[in-house]
Amino acid sequence: MREVDGLRLTFHLAGINNQNFLMRDEQTGTYWQQISGKAISGPLKGRQLTLVHSDELNLGTWKSEEPDGTLLQDAPQYARDYSPKNWDVRMKRAPTVIDYPERGLKGRDLMLGIQAFGASRAFLYEEVKRAKVIEDRVGSEPVLLIVGADNESVRAFRNRVPGAAEPADFYRLEKPSPDALLMDATTGSEWNFRGCAVSGKAKGTCLEPVAMLKDYWFDWRHYNPATTVYGRK
């Protein structure tokens, strides 16, 4: 959210700090770090913007969930200023100013980062896509990462099925669909990509979403120095 103490802020791109966007607000002249939403210089230094939960989804998956949703259209007069369609491919080869060559990871490896429950943990995006379902822990809590039926979109949830004493074991259905992706061994319920049970004993209940950021390894590691990495010591 872009309000602090009732003041609605208007942001502009001000530059790059360690290859992460730096924003400046018009109202106070404070500089804010994109990745953390924290004010790092100026009158509001130390203040924190409130994170609004968001998902990075395949367009088809989003439209299947939100058929009446609207899309932000391109502005034709600024078309030449937009990044090319192969931007991500080109960036994969771009050098980084800072680097952390550890745990067998490269600077431009795409990670799914979770900062919650008193800890930071990163998951290699390609490994998550291959696994389809990952049960793990972040700090004090069990988490569940699931890949959508499009085999690209990923969401994370707190693995606490309402009414169950222990984290559930989830399995991907043999024929997953937007309506049902998983089944849990605890209640025998089927769950969709929104983390909601659509059949079985748990029908009508939903898992708690967990915020997750898709980011390059060098950037995630720089701003989360104590991060752990799934599958790597």
Side-chain angles (χ1 to χ4, degrees):
M1 296 178 64
R2 61 187 183 97
E3 289 189 1
V4 176
D5 295 336
L7 178 63
R8 179 169 293 185
L9 302 175
T10 303
F11 294 95
H12 297 282
L13 177 63
I16 303 293
N17 181 37
N18 293 320
Q19 292 199 317
N20 191 262
F21 286 160
L22 198 63
M23 305 176 292
R24 183 178 184 272
D25 72 70
E26 287 183 359
Q27 287 70 24
T28 73
T30 298
Y31 289 86
W32 304 76
Q33 192 73 58
Q34 173 203 11
I35 189 172
S36 64
K38 187 174 182 179
I40 62 173
S41 178
L44 299 180
K45 181 179 179 180
R47 302 303 297 276
Q48 180 78 47
L49 297 176
T50 301
L51 176 69
V52 175
H53 187 90
S54 62
D55 292 310
E56 189 167 334
L57 305 176
N58 175 289
L59 177 60
T61 294
W62 179 77
K63 286 295 287 183
S64 71
E65 293 185 347
E66 304 291 342
D68 297 324
T70 57
L71 297 175
L72 181 65
Q73 295 293 318
D74 293 343
Q77 65 269 35
Y78 299 113
R80 63 178 173 181
D81 296 326
Y82 294 154
S83 297
K85 291 184 178 180
N86 67 339
W87 175 87
D88 57 335
V89 177
R90 293 170 60 183
M91 288 303 296
K92 186 78 174 177
R93 300 192 296 266
T96 61
V97 174
I98 53 177
D99 196 14
Y100 298 92
E102 55 191 53
R103 301 172 184 171
L105 296 171
K106 299 177 181 178
R108 292 284 180 184
D109 281 342
L110 275 176
M111 312 298 291
L112 300 174
I114 296 177
Q115 188 179 52
F117 315 121
S120 297
R121 191 156 172 81
F123 304 77
L124 187 62
Y125 178 51
E126 292 300 325
E127 290 182 355
V128 175
K129 288 200 299 180
R130 287 194 294 269
K132 308 298 184 190
V133 180
I134 288 181
E135 296 171 2
D136 195 36
R137 296 190 74 88
V138 176
S140 60
E141 288 296 313
V143 297
L144 174 72
L145 275 66
I146 60 175
V147 178
D150 60 22
N151 294 318
E152 294 287 337
S153 305
V154 183
R155 280 178 172 148
F157 301 91
R158 196 175 189 174
N159 190 351
R160 296 285 187 186
V161 175
E166 298 294 332
D169 286 326
F170 283 87
Y171 303 91
R172 194 171 176 90
L173 295 175
E174 185 175 345
K175 295 182 178 180
S177 71
D179 297 322
L181 274 178
L182 309 171
M183 176 177 287
D184 77 86
T186 304
T187 70
S189 303
E190 292 185 341
W191 301 76
N192 63 19
F193 188 47
R194 291 179 182 265
C196 296
V198 296
S199 70
K201 295 180 180 179
K203 183 177 180 179
T205 66
C206 298
L207 301 175
E208 177 187 337
V210 173
M212 184 169 58
L213 176 69
K214 183 186 288 186
D215 195 9
Y216 290 119
W217 165 245
F218 81 88
D219 195 52
W220 175 262
R221 169 64 176 77
H222 184 74
Y223 292 99
N224 295 272
T227 191
T228 56
V229 179
Y230 174 78
R232 290 168 166 79
K233 295 183 179 180

